[in-house]
Amino acid sequence: MQAVADIDPVEGRPALIAGDPDFHSITETVAAPMEWTPPRGWYIALGVSLLMLSMLGVSIGWLFWEGVGIWGNNQPVAWGWPIVNFVFWVGIGHAGTLISAVLFLFRQKWRTSINRTAEAMTIFAVMCALIFPGIHIGRPWLPYWMMPVPNSMDMWPQFRSPLMWDVFAVSIYGTVSLLFWYLGLIPDLATMRDRAKTKVRRIAYGVFSMGWRGSQRQWHHYEKAYLLLAGLATPLVLSVHSVVSFDFATSQLPGWHTTIFPPYFVAGAIFSGIAMVVTLMVICRVLFKLESIVNLLHFDRMAKLLLVTGSIVGYAYSIEFFIAWYSGNPYEGFTFLNRAFGPYAWAYWIMVSCNVITPQIFWFKKARTNMTILFIASIFINIGMWFERFVIVVTSLHRDFLPSSWGYFRPTFWDIATFVGSFGLFFTMFCLFVRFLPMVAMAEVKGVLPEAHGRPPEPETDMPAIDVSATETAQVAGTARVP
Amino acid sequence: MSGQAASTEYGLLAEFQTPEHLYQACEKVRDAGFSHWDAHSPFPIHGLDKAMGLKKSPVSLFVLVLGLSGATIGMLMQWWVATKAYPLVISGKPLFSWPAFIPIAFECGILGGAVGALLGFLSQARLPRPHHALFNASRLERVTDDAFFISIETADPNFDRESTAQLLKDLGATHVEAVAA
């Protein structure tokens, strides 16, 4: 827990990994959860997740049997929980690429401790997200109408529609995230192959590591491919939630028809995704004894990102109100007053308290490094970001231009069961991930250790000189790595 | 393979203690004029490609070509569907209303570029390759954990069993062994 105070002897910055690790101890720490009998907490988590997953199966089965009438969706709120859940899950998926790609381009080395988990979370969240538009279409035997192929009436999809853009954006986002994740996994899978004690493991990890042998002629191309994938994923992650927001923003509906939507959605997506990373990491680091690799420094920085993105989201909420008044459009003005003081005011104020007020606690360093506060705040933010999508979808639809068509949306049991079930899918995948794949990018973490430098660092004049005497270096290296 | 005669050797494998030792040894091996050799490390070491004298990686060319192809195919597909396969006038807009087609063309370009990055890496790194002569050296298993190596092939014109082994020892190798082909 002394992590924040340790100083990297080469860079003169706080050490990223606590407890003076060497390369071998990183391998041991990360590989342990895959090689030991999992802790009891893992079995409980997997059992509960599988129960929830079966709930998803039953809900979808009943939906296919009976039709979308089992949900609360109806006029005027035809886009109910399925679309709320879709946007919620896609949003959570955005933190993975932010941490892996954007922070990589900005040379934020602390990302290496959490990027693998965040990328895995992204892929599982996108899987959950893709379920909802698929089952929401009402005729589940026709999802191929979303593909660029003609249907049985020789009609083609309408590419001018943002809903089609969305199909491409989200599915390509899922694919590219998977490629990026897999590329990062190759060296670590080779580590698992070389450590394997059983034949099954050696073959399984061997096949997926494709014969990686840590050769510099391979690393050379690997690093280039990784950099370029990061460069491609960065505009992709910004475009995906922009396109999701176009689903709303290109309509004529007050409350949806605003130009602030793309940046506002992207900031909200990153906000919710980092909150989910914090939720997962607070548990996993204790359960799998990763405290030295994922330490207070990482939580401190994630909390700062939560503060920044949460404040952007708060700014967007206030600008929406300002524009509703400033535009002079009576429908727009009514919609926003209705949001804050109408029948769904409870949802609106849950959203504001969770998303705008909660992250303000992270102005204080004590809160940024306190696991209990971080965990509770991240749960609040997860709840708040779900309510943000609920407020956007439901409050804009339930009272439109004609008071005669107003209504009040209530979810049914099956709405709730499907949503809770989607968490079952997410957590089942996550439990399997932590058991069978390295949940920290070992090769990348080793690369940011102080002793990983090939060349002795040039002393820089504008930085306070740090005396790297032989004894100190030996101490950092842990064992006798320096002769 | 390990069962074959010892006269067919792949080359020499030398272990080094730290990334710094490896880096300095690579500079010397490069300057000694070797061409069929490689360095092995558990993580990419900053600047080691220059210390080895490697050329710029052509992976970026794969990304450029496949990325542009992806974007072009995405736009052409929408153009063909909107004007030839299923022409439908929406709000009096032209059939080829290209601004509305940009998001999908962009996403297809990203997809092409990402596939290009992966294919570029796999083809340049010669992967997947289930077996390699170096796997005969069980010591190399530790390269994915915490060990650093240089391998020099017998195929190299400068290779000489004795003097090359001596060179590697002089460069600070803690262990030098011959690897069966």
Side-chain angles (χ1 to χ4, degrees), chain A residues 247-411:
Chain A
D247 293 347
F248 301 94
T250 56
S251 75
Q252 304 279 336
L253 195 72
W256 287 2
H257 188 64
T258 50
T259 48
I260 200 176
F261 258 36
Y264 156 39
F265 266 51
V266 171
I270 291 166
F271 183 51
S272 68
I274 292 179
M276 187 60 97
V277 175
V278 170
T279 311
L280 294 171
M281 283 324 267
V282 167
I283 301 171
C284 288
R285 73 190 285 266
V286 178
L287 208 54
F288 299 109
K289 302 189 171 51
L290 297 171
E291 284 98 337
S292 62
I293 294 179
V294 185
N295 55 50
L296 298 186
L297 177 137
H298 303 96
F299 284 102
D300 179 60
R301 293 185 183 176
M302 283 194 279
K304 284 177 183 166
L305 281 175
L306 283 176
L307 177 60
V308 171
T309 48
S311 303
I312 296 175
V313 167
Y315 170 78
Y317 294 163
S318 51
I319 283 292
E320 276 191 317
F321 266 83
F322 171 75
I323 294 295
W325 165 75
Y326 190 65
S327 67
N329 180 330
Y331 296 104
E332 190 85 10
F334 170 78
T335 297
F336 280 91
L337 286 177
N338 183 50
R339 256 185 205 180
F341 306 108
Y344 285 108
W346 57 274
Y348 184 82
W349 293 107
I350 289 177
M351 170 188 94
V352 170
S353 359
C354 289
N355 291 351
V356 186
I357 299 168
T358 307
Q360 301 309 319
I361 196 173
F362 293 134
W363 286 104
F364 304 100
K365 183 153 190 160
K366 280 219 169 89
R368 293 200 300 266
T369 49
N370 182 312
M371 290 302 131
T372 316
I373 294 178
L374 274 162
F375 186 74
I376 294 172
S378 73
I379 295 285
F380 271 127
I381 292 168
N382 288 329
I383 296 171
M385 283 310 293
W386 186 87
F387 269 98
E388 180 192 297
R389 281 60 177 257
F390 178 83
V391 164
I392 290 170
V393 170
V394 175
T395 66
S396 310
L397 283 169
H398 89 118
R399 287 184 169 175
D400 64 358
F401 304 94
L402 276 178
S404 62
S405 62
W406 287 1
Y408 190 85
F409 170 87
R410 276 185 189 82

Side-chain angles (χ1 to χ4, degrees), chain A residues 100-144:
Chain A
S100 341
V102 182
L103 296 186
F104 178 76
L105 296 182
F106 282 114
R107 295 281 182 263
Q108 296 292 308
K109 290 181 179 172
W110 59 274
R111 67 182 263 292
T112 55
S113 294
I114 50 169
N115 70 338
R116 172 71 45 72
T117 312
E119 286 165 36
M121 183 199 76
T122 289
I123 290 161
F124 307 147
V126 171
M127 284 167 60
C128 293
L130 283 172
I131 288 179
F132 285 101
I135 62 175
H136 177 244
I137 52 178
R139 285 178 285 175
W141 55 95
L142 293 177
Y144 79 94

Side-chain angles (χ1 to χ4, degrees), chain A residues 59-74:
Chain A
S59 307
I60 293 180
W62 179 238
L63 172 81
F64 285 2
W65 181 260
E66 191 70 12
V68 283
I70 65 167
W71 286 334
N73 304 21
N74 209 330

Side-chain angles (χ1 to χ4, degrees), chain A residues 181-194:
Chain A
W181 189 56
Y182 181 59
L183 184 72
L185 268 169
I186 290 173
D188 287 357
L189 292 174
T191 303
M192 297 314 297
R193 171 199 66 199
D194 292 344

